[in-house]
Amino acid sequence: MTTADTTGGAPTGENLDKLTANLRKVEELSERLTKVMTHRSMHNEALDGPNQELFQKAASAYWTEALRDPAKVLEHQLQFWSKSVTHFVEAQQALASGKLTAPPDPGPSDRRFANPLWDTHPYFNFVKQQYLINAAAVEQALDDVTEMDDPEKRRLAYFSRQILDMMSPTNFLATNPDALEKAVATEGDSLVQGLENLISDLEANNGELIVKLADDSAFELGRNIATAPGKVVFRNRMMELIQYTPTTKTVHKTPLVLFPPWINKYYILDLKEQNSMVRWLVDQGHTLFVVSWVNPDAAYAGVGLEDYVQDGYLAAIEAAKAITDESQVNAIGYCIAGTTLTLTLSLLKQRGDTSIKSATFFTALTDFGDQGEFQPFLTDDFIDGIEAECADKGILPSIIMARTFTFLRSNDLVYGPAIKSYMMGETPPAFDLLYWNGDGANLPAKMAMQYLRGLCQRNELATTGFDLMGHHLTLGDVDVPLCAIACETDHIAPWKDSYRGIQAMGSKDKTFIMTQSGHIAGIVNPPSRNKYGHYTNTDLNLDHKAWAEGAEFHDGSWWPRWGKWLKSRAGAQMPARDPGDSAHPVLCDAPGTYVAIKAKP
């Protein structure tokens, strides 16, 4: 409650005190903003957008189209002009009627425009409708461009969409009714808190704007996430190896070694008890080892894929074999760790080493012939920029990768959270998945370029072969029993590309499962949730479209189906094993020490 205004509009009483306090806060925040932007860390400019050549080609192609078919281009221009003028006239008529109502036909549904004022208030409705008209005109112009190669056109479409998303009226205070209503209701407190949130995010990332998606103060590793009981039983410069405490009296003889991606932390598979794959696998009677990768700094600049194979995969497999006194392990590779598991399998095949009994791949790409949504970032101008960044810093900083991944879903992972945090002053939610998403890791310079140039750009593993550790590695070398799980709506590792790589492998015993949902939710899909179903088809000779058309749908999680597959390859039962042995003493409790190392911006 505030005191009444008796001075012709001047603030008095509580209003004046609040205004003074807010102005003082704004002054302090302005000083912090100046400081952080003055000392911000810089990155290579090539990482901020495509070079001008792309847009020059687009303009040239558009005008070539205009000369070849001027009537078509003129028709589209006239449609845009007509819609814009008609829209303006309708808005004027609505205002002239004396009623504060928008014209009929509020336009297409869009989550960004959920506030009723976008449809009922003539000002906000006009702004929304004109934005949608402009966006449609740009998209039509893109469709009309025919004198560009398909990869370039896809790239143009991606960056044009980024510009359109950035220019949405919801992203500006003056044209966002939610933010304006909140500012009025809180007497400006929301804007001050929003500025505090913005500057805090800038300070946390040395001037780089990365929107915080989760309240990181709500989580602590080992307390309320990554809590499955286990012990670190091996450590080297590349990884810590965690052996989990058994929960069954007997276990399968063949141990299970899980290799998570090193772009993020392993605990995506152990967020909480209800959805922990780690706990589920232990409950199924497996002696489970999980690799927790180091978060590299500049000292790791010369570390390559060969180091991940030698000091990661091979070291972990040898430790697991020694601790369990077994000659073979079953291996799992998730995302980039699945790609590298393929390299390891080819290497072991050529060496005559049968240490891996079976392999499971989670959302793993081995054939990068179709680069999907990452295609805009795999052209030479971007990769050259990444190479320069790596040469300068010795690593590909986690912040660069985080920005790339989030802009693939910019409205959900950038602009939406930014509006809530910076315009409305809201605290990010206490969401464990988003906390994990923000807990990224750096990549060593050498490894990053091997992956981007050799595997992604040149697609060597699926075509000519990939040279590593004195061997020429190919997909055809992979001949162990394998099971691959891909996700139907995965935008990072599209299922059809994962399927194509599995088809090229030399194994005679292959199982392919496509689960509903995406890169994370499709994998972290415990049976207890009964949320996403999955598809199976035993004929892997079909192309991906025919495979999907002939696939059988199954309700529920794919975990039990895979669990049966794994059980048949896990050996007989024996008394449960405690973590470690005399040669591999317990070093510390899970989740270990490497997982706690944060990526420094």
Side-chain angles (χ1 to χ4, degrees):
M1 191 87 178
T2 57
T3 56
D5 182 355
T6 59
T7 60
T12 61
E14 293 179 17
N15 290 60
L16 182 59
D17 292 341
K18 194 165 193 176
L19 176 62
T20 302
N22 279 340
L23 287 174
R24 189 179 303 115
K25 289 180 183 177
V26 169
E27 183 177 351
E28 294 171 356
L29 291 169
S30 297
E31 292 177 359
R32 285 172 57 192
L33 179 61
T34 300
K35 182 178 179 181
V36 70
M37 296 310 292
T38 299
H39 298 93
R40 66 182 296 230
S41 60
M42 303 300 291
H43 60 256
N44 192 282
E45 292 182 358
L47 300 177
D48 291 330
N51 59 30
Q52 292 302 310
E53 183 181 354
L54 176 68
F55 297 110
Q56 290 169 359
K57 286 183 178 179
S60 175
Y62 184 81
W63 288 114
T64 298
E65 188 76 21
L67 292 172
R68 184 171 59 242
D69 192 355
K72 178 182 176 182
V73 174
L74 183 59
E75 179 185 358
H76 291 155
Q77 289 291 328
L78 289 174
Q79 287 177 353
F80 171 66
W81 297 340
S82 175
K83 288 178 181 178
S84 296
V85 172
T86 301
H87 179 220
F88 175 75
V89 170
E90 288 175 346
Q92 289 290 89
Q93 289 175 341
L95 290 172
S97 69
K99 298 179 180 179
L100 200 63
T101 57
D105 184 21
S109 175
D110 189 313
R111 284 190 302 173
R112 292 174 294 179
F113 305 113
N115 190 308
L117 288 176
W118 288 113
D119 293 338
T120 61
H121 193 288
Y123 167 70
F124 291 113
N125 183 260
F126 177 82
V127 169
K128 180 190 81 167
Q129 292 288 358
Q130 190 58 49
Y131 167 74
L132 294 175
I133 290 171
N134 294 345
V138 171
E139 290 169 352
Q140 183 63 61
L142 288 171
D143 288 341
D144 290 344
V145 173
T146 59
E147 297 295 319
M148 291 185 76
D149 293 338
D150 184 61
E152 286 187 325
K153 187 170 180 179
R154 287 163 59 190
R155 197 162 178 246
L156 176 66
Y158 170 82
F159 287 110
S160 298
R161 171 46 58 188
Q162 291 300 318
I163 293 171
L164 291 174
D165 288 346
M166 180 178 65
M167 297 307 296
S168 169
T170 52
N171 296 336
F172 302 91
L173 177 63
T175 51
N176 187 316
D178 293 298
L180 291 170
E181 287 178 328
K182 184 78 174 286
V184 171
T186 63
E187 296 182 299
D189 281 350
S190 61
L191 298 179
V192 175
Q193 184 57 52
L195 184 57
E196 168 70 47
N197 293 344
L198 170 63
I199 294 171
S200 295
D201 284 356
L202 287 169
E203 290 174 335
N205 297 292
N206 284 353
E208 289 277 5
L209 183 55
I210 299 293
V211 185
K212 182 187 291 186
L213 299 178
D215 179 7
D216 52 17
S217 66
F219 301 100
E220 182 182 346
L221 293 172
R223 180 178 66 82
N224 55 1
I225 50 175
T227 60
K231 308 291 183 182
V232 174
V233 295
F234 179 82
R235 178 189 295 129
N236 63 19
R237 64 173 186 144
M238 296 301 300
M239 57 90 180
E240 290 182 328
L241 185 65
I242 303 170
Q243 182 181 356
Y244 285 91
T245 305
T247 58
T248 55
K249 291 183 178 180
T250 62
V251 294
H252 293 284
K253 285 177 64 65
T254 305
L256 185 59
V257 185
L258 194 158
F259 298 95
W262 51 87
I263 293 175
N264 290 98
K265 307 292 182 64
Y266 84 89
Y267 63 87
I268 184 59
L269 300 173
D270 187 32
L271 284 177
K272 52 191 174 186
E273 290 191 33
Q274 302 94 306
N275 64 1
S276 171
M277 179 179 282
V278 166
R279 289 177 180 270
W280 185 82
L281 285 168
V282 173
D283 288 344
Q284 305 309 302
H286 294 286
T287 300
L288 178 64
F289 295 84
V290 174
V291 166
S292 176
W293 299 103
V294 73
N295 194 345
D297 56 21
Y300 284 75
V303 166
L305 284 168
E306 61 271 22
D307 297 287
Y308 278 88
V309 171
Q310 184 64 51
D311 294 331
Y313 289 75
L314 300 184
I317 290 168
E318 288 305 311
K321 286 165 52 181
I323 290 170
T324 60
D325 195 26
E326 293 293 327
S327 61
Q328 289 187 305
V329 306
N330 290 315
I332 306 168
Y334 191 170
C335 191
I336 190 175
T339 308
T340 312
L341 176 58
T342 306
L343 299 177
T344 305
L345 287 165
S346 177
L347 177 71
L348 293 180
K349 169 67 174 178
Q350 294 184 26
R351 288 180 172 179
D353 188 329
T354 59
S355 292
I356 296 181
K357 187 176 183 179
S358 76
T360 298
F361 301 95
F362 295 165
T363 65
L365 291 181
T366 53
D367 185 336
F368 294 83
D370 182 354
Q371 297 163 347
E373 294 190 46
F374 277 98
Q375 186 271 334
F377 301 100
L378 292 176
T379 51
D380 279 335
D381 55 347
F382 268 99
I383 303 302
D384 289 347
I386 289 175
E387 191 163 25
E389 183 79 0
C390 287
D392 178 54
K393 293 185 169 63
I395 54 172
L396 176 56
S398 170
I399 196 169
I400 301 297
M401 292 180 287
R403 188 173 61 175
T404 301
F405 283 116
T406 55
F407 272 97
L408 290 174
R409 294 291 181 271
S410 56
N411 285 325
D412 293 333
L413 297 178
V414 180
Y415 300 119
I419 289 167
K420 291 180 180 179
S421 183
Y422 306 153
M423 286 193 200
M424 305 185 72
E426 296 179 5
T427 300
F431 188 4
D432 54 3
L433 177 60
L434 292 179
Y435 172 81
W436 167 85
N437 188 69
D439 188 14
N442 304 318
L443 298 183
K446 181 180 178 181
M447 173 264 139
M449 297 318 300
Q450 286 173 312
Y451 179 75
L452 292 171
R453 294 288 194 199
L455 292 173
C456 295
Q457 274 195 318
R458 296 193 291 266
N459 196 25
E460 290 174 357
L461 181 59
T463 54
T464 60
F466 187 77
D467 291 326
L468 194 72
M469 301 172 71
H471 289 262
H472 191 66
L473 308 178
T474 69
L475 293 179
D477 288 331
V478 178
D479 62 355
V480 301
L482 62 87
C483 181
I485 294 87
C487 302
E488 187 175 21
T489 59
D490 193 338
H491 64 285
I492 295 173
W495 80 266
K496 63 182 178 65
D497 302 323
S498 175
Y499 176 76
R500 190 172 60 250
I502 295 299
Q503 283 184 305
M505 293 181 184
S507 304
K508 294 181 180 179
D509 180 355
K510 300 180 186 179
T511 298
F512 189 85
I513 300 170
M514 182 175 71
T515 178
Q516 292 180 311
S517 196
H519 194 71
I520 300 300
I523 298 299
V524 185
N525 181 29
S528 59
R529 294 179 64 184
N530 195 29
K531 189 170 185 180
Y532 301 118
H534 59 281
Y535 301 85
T536 60
N537 186 338
T538 58
D539 189 352
L540 301 192
N541 293 314
L542 302 170
D543 64 28
H544 75 275
K545 291 182 179 179
W547 185 94
E549 289 172 356
E552 180 181 359
F553 178 75
H554 309 273
D555 287 321
S557 171
W558 56 270
W559 290 13
R561 182 177 302 278
W562 171 58
K564 291 179 181 178
W565 182 92
L566 196 59
K567 180 180 179 180
S568 68
R569 294 159 177 82
Q573 292 286 310
M574 61 170 290
R577 307 169 172 114
D578 292 326
D581 64 6
S582 59
H584 300 83
V586 170
L587 302 178
C588 64
D589 289 333
T593 60
Y594 281 6
V595 71
I597 301 173
K598 298 292 184 181
K600 296 180 181 179

